[in-house]
Amino acid sequence: MADTCSRKLTVEVSNAKNLMPKDGQGTASAYVIVDFDGQRRRTKTVFRDLNPQWDEKLEFLVHDADSMAAEILEINVYNDKKSGKRSTFLGKVKISGSNFVKSGEDAAALVYYPLEKRSVFSQIKGEIGLKVWYVDEEPPPPPLPEKNDAVAPPAAEEKPPEKKEEEEKKNPPEAAAEKKEEKKEEEKKPESEEVKKEEKPPENAPAVAPPPPTEVKIPPIAQNAQNLEKSIITENSKNMEIESKLFKKISSGALDRRIAFDLVDQMPFLYVRVVKAKIASIEADSFCAKLVIVSIWSQKKIVEKESAEEKIEERSSGTVSFDLQEVPKRVPPDSPLAPQWYSLEGEGSSGNDVMLSVWIGTQADEAFQEAWQSDSGGLIPETRAKVYLSPKLWYLRLTVIQTQDLQLGSGSVGPEPKVRNPELFVKAQLGAQLFKTSRTSINSCNPTWNEDLIFVAAEPFEPFLTITVEDVTNGNSIGYAKVQVATVDRRTDDKSEPRSRWFNLIGDENTKPYAGRIHVRVCLEGGYHVLDEAAHVTSDVRATAKQLSKPAIGVLEVGIRGATNLLPVKTKDGTRGTTDAYVVAKYGPKWVRTRTILDRFNPRWNEQYTWDVYDPCTVLTIGVFDNARYTHDEVGAKKDVRLGKLRVRLSTLDTNRVYVGTYSLMVLLPGGPKKMGEIEIALRFSCSSWISIIQAYANPMLPRMHYVKPFGPAQQDILRHNAMRIVTARLARSEPALGQEVVQFMLDTDMHMWSMRRSKANWFRVVGCLSKAATFARWLDGIRTWMHPPTTVLVHILLVAIVLCPHLVLPTIFMYSFLIIALRFRYRQRVSITMDPRLSYVDAVGQDELDEEFDGFPTTRSVDQVRVRYDRLRALAGRAQTLLGDVAAQGERLEALFNWRDPRATGIFVVVCLLASLLFYVVPFKAFVLGSGFYYLRHPRFRDDMPSVPMNFFRRLPPLSDRIL
């Protein structure tokens, strides 16, 4: 296996810092085990040292360079007991293969990785320093054949387009130039040698030899056939390789933006446009089916067919053939090729002609989107690429002011006594949204509310907003009124007050056509941005009103290149697994959907899309799905299966730079997390003006109305949920439909649901942020205890400089901040454009916790299972309330110091304050700071192990914990 491997991975284990003592004597004897691709290496053991130094290089063979990005490098640190006992665990680090660098780039950079726990209860700390890089080595040349060999070695097999594109991406320009020269030499060879080359069939075709000529076969067509404006694309896999040099991949961000599809590989396609036909050999009184079949190798497409109620035998009216080497090429913006008449050949084809045009192009051709595509199942609307737009959303504000002249008599049949103090409320309904005002008990028929009800309205609007006044006492409706939403006023700020209107309430149209009137104020708020996705992953922050929108600051270009190693999610013909994958990308109101590649585990889309960017602090969402709707089953219960999702925050991307990479697709299933494959995308965020981006950082995130008239947190959640439901329903009614499960997965509609996993993830995020403060405290304690005497001496000098020159404190702090942060720019971490399983806490989640997360609302589980989950939640809440109680106790102790809750403690503090005031009249403040600093940094031999007097005094102050029931 080593002979065929051309890539080596080198891991240099440098050192570790601050390891956890594990030998019972305050130290540890550490060694490292490194695992990669089924290979294991071990370092030497450094005895009794919490900061061991190894400086060992470990080499590994990369068996498959193409799949290296999907491999995981695992480093485990153990304590060597040397007594036959099992070694204790000191921590681990996992590094994805996508983070490996090539030798000569950043290979010399030493990176410190924090050691991770193996389980929640592991006691781990410290970090390990590693250098990881790989080297590509040229494989040894093949042995030369002997002269006596009678059989010549077979020619190298040509590679399919997918493999070829991957090789071109990896090879340097010099290698590409050599390949072009080799290709020219191959073109000069006689045709007899070309025929001898082995050919590989398309991926979805059986392994049989293709027919030598490429034909466009025309079976019987009616005499007066209607014009057919159909385009057929058949992907070429072999004979058009010599034309591939016509389509060059462009990756420089500085080139002209008018060049289409420069972030993806240009894929050569054969286009056939069939216009019409003339058939002279059909009897006038006979009925004939009309169809055109275009075939190339093993691929066959039916252009159009009309059949009678009874089956008719098909007869060929002739064929027309083209040599692919002679087919013309078209590169937009060239005009489309004009169709021509071609005479059909074959038996009985005399006088038969067909009008068509044939050319070779790429996916940049404008005919590509509307054409029948060989890899997408032909004329199936659900498999074609589409662009969707979310409906334009508004907030509709209904202010219920008051009612007058209410007819409080019952609408029911028969007399009923009047209620002296009726309890009334107003409810309003817009579509499926229903909100109510508070209840009010009145002594008259003119109650007043002055309450706002907020709805989400989508264009085109619902026809009416229904307002109803109801009596809680008898449960009857007093009357209702309808407001035409199209006549509602619109406003863009809070300065203009919308007009108020009176509407007559209608009761029973037969017995009580007039039930009073209601005074309301209705307006469409254009100054807000209606959030239709989770706030932390929003992709658009513009106000609804167009006049409030600012110009775009840049352009986001996304190239959806392909996917690899997708897992089968369904069965085909009941025998084998298959996947029909497509990609959905969402940014702002624009949704794009690629074509569905049928029955491929390594599909290549190579489609590119563009969005205008109005704010850099927004997020692009990309999801991959399996198409289960195109089969048109009568049951209609099939839903598209999600294969994974990733998000890209635009603020983490450098401007005018192309990012190309392969990223893992992972989904969380009831059985646990599962990797479904990888997706390859290309990104470029272009901006022509740095001033526009800097100005965007100075502006508020949301429009002005969100700050001058904000909504409460609970109301925001309700409005966001309603907006998500509207967007989901509207896109599900598109043609072809964008499935409800797809939109919900892209918008994260279940983010508000309880999840033990998310709670743990958020808790550890908080702990991770607080760990920086703990690190600073440990550093300060190390200086205070003289663990590194030179550093402590330097801190003493710094303390003296601060006391003697206080005016230089702030300039020094900001200058040091500038230098440190500027130097870190070179070693900045590249932001990973993928979902983080470790950050999502999917590795250590229990099966019952996953079942709880996938359980609906309300729960459908048994009472005993819900009781267990409730007890677990109570235990976690108990820890949280204990932590909150401890934090509150510190504040109450500080408050007790000033309000004489403990008279003796406050008296002591008063006396200390008096003595301190007299002392500071005599002692200069600089001398006090200098003396306090020296006392704090005194050597450990002058310290006591017991807590200090001020700490003892503070801890004895009384909190309010003893007063809680």
Side-chain angles (χ1 to χ4, degrees), residues 900-956:
W900 295 88
R901 192 179 302 152
D902 185 343
R904 286 168 295 278
T906 306
I908 294 173
F909 181 67
V910 168
V911 173
V912 171
C913 290
L914 177 61
L915 296 177
S917 64
L918 298 176
L919 178 64
F920 284 123
Y921 272 114
V922 179
V923 180
F925 181 72
K926 292 182 179 181
F928 170 75
V929 174
L930 194 61
S932 301
F934 284 156
Y935 178 78
Y936 179 78
L937 299 173
R938 68 192 184 278
H939 198 273
R941 69 178 59 183
F942 302 111
R943 297 180 184 276
D944 190 5
D945 294 336
M946 301 303 293
S948 63
V949 174
M951 185 61 68
N952 295 332
F953 179 79
F954 183 77
R955 289 178 177 175
R956 291 180 176 274

Side-chain angles (χ1 to χ4, degrees), residues 584-603:
V584 176
K586 195 263 183 189
Y587 183 78
K590 180 180 176 181
W591 301 63
V592 298
R593 169 180 176 168
T594 67
R595 68 188 190 278
T596 301
I597 306 296
L598 300 182
D599 198 13
R600 298 279 183 90
F601 297 129
N602 299 289

Side-chain angles (χ1 to χ4, degrees), residues 430-656:
L430 180 66
Q433 304 174 67
L434 179 64
F435 293 103
K436 302 177 181 179
T437 64
S438 60
R439 300 177 181 180
T440 178
S441 298
I442 59 172
N443 296 323
S444 64
C445 297
N446 302 321
T448 302
W449 283 274
N450 287 322
E451 294 185 20
D452 289 343
L453 302 179
I454 308 297
F455 301 84
V456 178
E459 295 183 358
F461 298 116
E462 298 285 344
F464 294 102
L465 169 68
T466 305
I467 307 172
T468 308
V469 181
E470 292 196 0
D471 188 355
V472 182
T473 309
N474 53 22
N476 293 331
S477 173
I478 297 176
Y480 69 92
K482 289 187 176 181
V483 181
Q484 287 188 351
V485 181
T487 63
V488 171
D489 298 336
R490 306 184 183 188
R491 68 171 183 175
T492 59
D493 51 31
D494 60 325
K495 299 178 181 178
S496 59
E497 189 71 19
R499 59 191 176 98
S500 61
R501 304 163 66 182
W502 287 93
F503 292 93
N504 292 335
L505 295 174
I506 302 175
D508 189 349
E509 296 182 357
N510 297 325
T511 60
K512 192 172 57 175
Y514 176 76
R517 59 178 188 164
I518 186 170
H519 190 200
V520 297
R521 186 181 294 114
V522 190
C523 70
L524 289 169
E525 299 280 7
Y528 291 93
H529 169 71
V530 182
L531 290 171
D532 59 345
E533 51 196 343
H536 62 283
V537 292
T538 183
S539 60
D540 191 10
V541 293
R542 292 176 295 165
T544 303
K546 288 184 178 180
Q547 55 268 35
L548 297 180
S549 296
K550 297 181 179 180
I553 64 172
V555 174
L556 172 64
E557 297 166 276
V558 179
I560 303 173
R561 300 170 63 86
T564 56
N565 303 323
L566 296 181
L567 297 182
V569 296
K570 57 188 177 186
T571 58
K572 185 176 183 180
D573 303 328
T575 57
R576 62 182 181 89
T578 183
T579 298
D580 307 323
Y582 68 92
V583 180
V584 176
K586 195 263 183 189
Y587 183 78
K590 180 180 176 181
W591 301 63
V592 298
R593 169 180 176 168
T594 67
R595 68 188 190 278
T596 301
I597 306 296
L598 300 182
D599 198 13
R600 298 279 183 90
F601 297 129
N602 299 289
R604 305 297 298 178
W605 293 284
N606 282 310
E607 300 182 21
Q608 185 170 334
Y609 300 94
T610 304
W611 287 268
D612 288 331
V613 178
Y614 296 88
D615 194 294
C617 301
T618 46
V619 178
L620 165 73
T621 304
I622 299 175
V624 185
F625 304 87
D626 172 76
N627 196 332
R629 297 174 178 267
Y630 74 95
T631 55
H632 297 291
D633 292 341
E634 295 181 0
V635 180
K638 288 190 176 181
K639 295 183 178 181
D640 293 349
V641 180
R642 56 190 186 186
L643 301 180
K645 176 173 58 180
L646 59 93
R647 292 195 179 95
V648 183
R649 189 170 292 274
L650 269 59
S651 59
T652 62
L653 303 178
D654 295 339
T655 56
N656 303 322

Side-chain angles (χ1 to χ4, degrees), residues 678-691:
E678 297 87 25
I679 182 174
E680 182 184 359
I681 62 172
L683 298 167
R684 178 170 55 212
F685 173 38
S686 305
C687 181
S688 59
S689 174
W690 273 92
I691 299 178

